Amino acid sequence: MKAGLARVTATGGRTATTRHIPPKLALAVGMPATPAPKGWKWSALTDLARLESGHTPSRNHPEYWGGSIPWLGIRDARAHDGRRIDETEETINKLGIENSSARLLPAGTVCLSRTASVGYVVVMGRPMATSQDFVNWVCSKDLDPGFLKYLLIAEGDGLLRFASGSVHQTIYFPEVKAFHICHPPRPEQQRIVALLDEAFAGIAIAKANAERNLQNARALFESHLQAVFTRRGDGWVDRQLASLCREIAVGYVGPMKTQYKENGVPFLRSQNIRPFEVSMDNSMFIDEVFHRALKKSQLRPGDLAIVRTGYPGTAAVIPTELPDSNCSDLVIARPSKEIDPHFLAAFFNSSFGKQLVLGKSVGAAQKHFNITTAREVMLHVPPMPEQRSIVARVRALRAETQHLVQLYGRKLASLRALERSLLHQAFVGELH
């Protein structure tokens, strides 16, 4: 054990595992056979940092809580993942420390969430305690906290190979105590950290700009839809949905587990109905016999399918590519010649329509949009030529919005790929 690391916290009593889990980049359980890059070496992490656990003072003693000592929980780590943390949602006090196994750890301590949500990494900006959901390392003079932070981030989902558990994946202390890392001398660690800090700061700005542009594109589309249904013009009339439809029905509600088939007639559920489109992701199928038996829930091209629960009011027109389909718990509106189904979809997917639906949804535990209230929905309806003009404008603006969403989505994906590439280069000794 290195000097200054002699005092080791008890972490469950079990000794380090003797099994080996090979490295993905620079982290392994047990001493790996993988050669280190030139000038680097493999070391037991406990030779470079003091391992600390966390604890939660009893919730039955409110006098332990609300002091001046920050107490790190999973929500804090999620909100500050990959960064320094200075403030936490909850605090404890000296009494809480004295009457629990919680420890006050110094600034610079590197924390990794190990259970329930494995993989959040933060560095303490000031002395704190943590919950038992973390493993914590107080780094010696031979290990830069920033280097260890980036090393753990670089593992990503690879951290789960150290975890076990049937319900929740947890990295247990026998594995943590056997962690080995590949590292260069401290000056090279600091050089790598400085390069990554600079690169990641620039990437963070670029990601924030892309996300803001993405939000702005979506907001522009939402604003246009909102304006359509709040600024009605001459010739618009108030009509109930029931008066504009030849039929309004509800999809099949009943046991389905034994009815699903590998292929056959598509059976749409609420997750298949997205704003303005029917998604066949995770679609289910039923056979022709059952489809014919469920006559009331059969769908036809041009029908409007409206979600009842989860995201009530979300609506899509059944496309011609689905000449035969059926559905579960959806509102099925079959428009008359007086209303364009795509105009109805625009109404229900607008903020105005969503607010109206939510205001009429019922249920204590989970809100749902029932058929009675669906029939009574009041719409502002323009003449058919204007309906079609509105539909054309909405379709054009939606296409432009989708193009921007894809553009900014690709930008974000490329930035995330750049992060992964930089981390990979850093921990195979190729970051120059």
Side-chain angles (χ1 to χ4, degrees):
M1 184 67 68
K2 299 287 185 183
L5 294 179
R7 190 165 65 85
V8 180
T9 298
T11 52
R14 290 185 290 171
T15 59
T17 183
T18 56
R19 70 191 184 108
H20 286 73
I21 302 176
K24 170 187 169 186
L25 285 174
L27 180 65
V29 164
M31 178 65 79
T34 307
K38 185 178 179 180
W40 292 46
K41 65 178 181 179
W42 285 95
S43 299
L45 184 49
T46 50
D47 285 345
L48 301 170
R50 187 174 80 241
L51 175 62
E52 292 276 0
S53 61
H55 193 260
T56 303
S58 174
R59 298 283 186 181
N60 294 326
H61 289 271
E63 66 272 19
Y64 297 165
W65 295 85
S68 60
I69 301 171
W71 182 79
L72 180 70
I74 288 291
R75 287 193 298 185
D76 302 304
R78 182 184 298 114
H80 296 82
D81 187 32
R83 304 193 304 276
R84 164 180 163 146
I85 183 167
D86 293 292
E87 302 294 336
T88 57
E89 288 188 10
E90 294 186 281
T91 59
I92 58 175
N93 53 39
K94 186 178 178 182
L95 194 62
I97 293 284
E98 292 173 346
N99 288 275
S100 73
S101 296
R103 296 286 294 274
L104 184 61
L105 304 175
T109 298
V110 180
C111 312
L112 170 70
S113 63
R114 68 181 187 91
T115 185
S117 299
V118 174
Y120 295 125
V121 184
V122 295
V123 179
M124 291 182 181
R126 62 187 179 109
M128 296 183 181
T130 80
S131 76
Q132 61 273 21
D133 295 316
F134 296 87
V135 283
N136 311 298
W137 290 276
V138 180
C139 297
S140 73
K141 60 182 179 60
D142 296 320
L143 182 60
D144 186 283
F147 182 84
L148 179 57
K149 177 194 77 172
Y150 282 121
L151 186 151
L152 295 171
I153 292 171
E155 286 294 315
D157 291 341
L159 287 166
L160 290 172
R161 73 187 189 280
F162 306 122
S164 56
S166 56
V167 179
H168 294 296
Q169 291 288 290
T170 299
I171 302 176
Y172 290 101
F173 276 97
E175 283 68 36
V176 173
K177 290 176 180 178
F179 275 177
H180 283 63
I181 67 168
C182 193
H183 63 99
R186 178 72 180 254
E188 176 64 6
Q189 294 176 34
Q190 292 172 324
R191 185 190 74 84
I192 290 171
V193 169
L195 289 173
L196 290 176
D197 280 347
E198 182 179 5
F200 274 60
I203 290 171
I205 292 171
K207 285 169 71 175
N209 288 336
E211 287 169 349
R212 183 167 56 250
N213 290 334
L214 184 60
Q215 291 170 358
N216 288 342
R218 287 172 170 154
L220 179 62
F221 181 68
E222 290 292 337
S223 176
H224 177 80
L225 277 184
Q226 180 78 351
V228 167
F229 296 103
T230 55
R231 300 175 191 168
R232 51 180 173 163
D234 294 337
W236 289 56
V237 295
D238 291 338
R239 296 281 299 274
Q240 281 191 334
L241 183 64
S243 72
L244 295 166
C245 295
R246 290 179 286 117
E247 184 181 355
I248 298 178
V250 174
Y252 175 71
V253 179
M256 286 296 303
K257 189 174 181 179
T258 60
Q259 298 295 340
Y260 290 136
K261 309 299 179 185
E262 289 294 322
N263 48 56
V265 177
F267 188 81
L268 305 182
R269 299 166 295 163
S270 58
Q271 55 263 53
N272 298 116
I273 306 303
R274 299 178 183 177
F276 296 99
E277 66 179 68
V278 175
S279 169
M280 298 308 291
D281 292 346
N282 300 313
S283 56
M284 307 300 282
F285 300 91
I286 58 176
D287 63 29
E288 186 69 32
V289 173
F290 192 55
H291 169 62
R292 290 197 300 269
L294 302 182
K295 187 174 181 179
K296 289 186 178 180
S297 56
Q298 291 175 5
L299 295 166
R300 306 171 194 167
D303 287 351
L304 187 72
I306 309 169
V307 173
R308 295 186 65 222
T309 59
Y311 296 94
T314 301
V317 178
I318 303 302
T320 54
E321 303 89 82
L322 282 177
D324 290 303
S325 58
N326 214 298
C327 68
S328 64
D329 194 15
L330 300 171
V331 171
I332 306 165
R334 193 154 288 145
S336 69
K337 293 181 179 180
E338 295 182 80
I339 192 79
D340 187 308
H342 298 280
F343 179 85
L344 281 180
F347 169 81
F348 278 104
N349 289 315
S350 70
S351 297
F352 180 84
K354 288 175 183 174
Q355 290 168 4
L356 188 149
V357 167
L358 285 173
K360 290 182 173 294
S361 296
V362 298
Q366 185 179 36
K367 294 290 186 182
H368 65 275
F369 185 48
N370 67 32
I371 191 169
T372 300
T373 52
R375 290 189 176 116
E376 294 173 352
V377 165
M378 190 68 70
L379 294 87
H380 308 310
V381 183
M384 182 58 76
E386 190 171 353
Q387 290 182 40
R388 290 171 178 156
S389 176
I390 289 169
V391 167
R393 293 200 305 271
V394 168
R395 186 173 286 136
L397 184 57
R398 182 167 178 266
E400 182 181 347
T401 302
Q402 287 178 314
H403 171 71
L404 291 173
V405 167
Q406 292 171 355
L407 179 68
Y408 296 130
R410 287 195 296 268
K411 178 69 173 176
L412 287 168
S414 68
L415 290 169
R416 287 190 288 267
L418 177 58
E419 288 178 332
R420 291 192 297 270
S421 175
L422 288 169
L423 288 168
H424 183 272
Q425 293 175 50
F427 294 101
V428 295
E430 297 177 357
L431 187 62
H432 304 295

